[in-house]
Amino acid sequence: MDKYEIYQKAELGGRVGFGEHAAILVVDFQRAFVDPEIPGGGDFHEAIGSTRVLLDEARRLGVPVFYTVVGYASPMEAGRFIEKCPTLRLSMLGTPMVELAEALGRTEEEPVLVKRFASAFFETDLAERLREAGVDTVVVCGCTTSGCVRASVIDGMQNGFRSIVPRECVADIALEPHEANLFDMDAKYGDVMSMDEVMDRLEGTVVGATGASKGGAKS
């Protein structure tokens, strides 16, 4: 019995679909993780390029956009995380390592939340911001698929949001965990869709502004 039959027998793989109002969440497309010359970084230019296409459509429609970066004042703030991922020591606030990829074209109106751990929701006010904006569906882009993207998708679901993953807009440093986690997220936590499908669904989910900036965000 292959994995598809096993998951089907377990009645996994239901669809959450889009709700009424969506937002785009771009997870950790920062220099520390997207520069292949840096230990632990990957060549994610294709996923970043696809994300830019999605972002431009979101901006045209007025769909809210949020970003996260991993950043620390001191490596001690990473706790046990840094024991497993020692290159997190590079992600120090105030350095180029926490700067978003320029190709994303982030605008001043699009907030950047600083996080210390994997999930975009853990110890941030992201869920509150989304609820204030009337959002019920979070389209998750970024890196890595098996790490911070997966954690954010799961936490999004646990916070009551519909999690959508456009497969062209996420990336990992190795193909095997990338594909395995897309499969598993699609089975259990959200919907993995093509970018074209996501863009087709964005229209009609506009909610307006994301609200005033709050503590924990990086301008």
Side-chain angles (χ1 to χ4, degrees), residues 112-179:
V112 183
L113 285 72
V114 178
K115 63 187 181 71
R116 297 189 298 152
F117 298 103
S119 170
F121 291 87
F122 185 72
E123 294 185 347
T124 75
D125 64 349
L126 177 60
E128 181 183 357
R129 287 169 176 260
L130 293 170
R131 292 189 183 106
E132 286 182 354
V135 169
D136 59 9
T137 304
V138 183
V139 178
V140 184
C141 309
C143 66
T144 59
T145 312
S146 61
C148 295
V149 169
R150 179 188 175 94
S152 300
V153 166
I154 293 173
D155 260 7
M157 178 271 294
Q158 292 174 160
N159 276 277
F161 298 101
R162 301 168 186 266
S163 294
I164 307 293
V165 181
R167 65 167 51 248
E168 296 93 336
C169 299
V170 295
D172 212 312
I173 59 175
L175 180 61
E176 292 83 357
H178 172 73
E179 292 295 341

Side-chain angles (χ1 to χ4, degrees), residues 5-190:
E5 293 175 313
I6 292 169
Y7 275 53
Q8 186 177 35
K9 185 176 180 180
E11 299 184 3
L12 297 171
R15 302 290 84 188
V16 298
F18 272 71
E20 295 184 358
H21 303 305
I24 309 296
L25 172 63
V26 182
V27 178
D28 301 352
F29 270 155
Q30 64 192 80
R31 184 179 176 190
F33 306 137
V34 306
D35 186 342
E37 298 300 317
I38 295 172
D43 182 1
F44 301 153
H45 72 277
E46 290 186 1
I48 291 170
S50 295
T51 300
R52 174 60 185 268
V53 173
L54 181 62
L55 289 173
D56 284 346
E57 178 66 2
R59 291 163 183 146
R60 184 186 73 81
L61 295 171
V63 172
V65 175
F66 298 84
Y67 302 85
T68 67
V69 294
V70 175
Y72 307 105
S74 162
M76 293 181 63
E77 292 183 347
R80 299 296 181 194
F81 198 13
I82 205 166
E83 295 176 7
K84 297 299 293 184
C85 303
T87 59
L88 290 172
R89 68 185 183 279
L90 301 175
S91 296
M92 293 296 108
L93 294 171
T95 73
M97 295 297 102
V98 298
E99 294 177 1
L100 289 166
E102 291 185 7
L104 296 169
R106 181 210 166 217
T107 69
E108 292 184 0
E109 295 76 25
E110 297 169 352
V112 183
L113 285 72
V114 178
K115 63 187 181 71
R116 297 189 298 152
F117 298 103
S119 170
F121 291 87
F122 185 72
E123 294 185 347
T124 75
D125 64 349
L126 177 60
E128 181 183 357
R129 287 169 176 260
L130 293 170
R131 292 189 183 106
E132 286 182 354
V135 169
D136 59 9
T137 304
V138 183
V139 178
V140 184
C141 309
C143 66
T144 59
T145 312
S146 61
C148 295
V149 169
R150 179 188 175 94
S152 300
V153 166
I154 293 173
D155 260 7
M157 178 271 294
Q158 292 174 160
N159 276 277
F161 298 101
R162 301 168 186 266
S163 294
I164 307 293
V165 181
R167 65 167 51 248
E168 296 93 336
C169 299
V170 295
D172 212 312
I173 59 175
L175 180 61
E176 292 83 357
H178 172 73
E179 292 295 341
N181 280 276
L182 285 176
F183 177 83
D184 200 57
M185 284 189 291
D186 190 56
K188 299 175 183 174
Y189 305 114

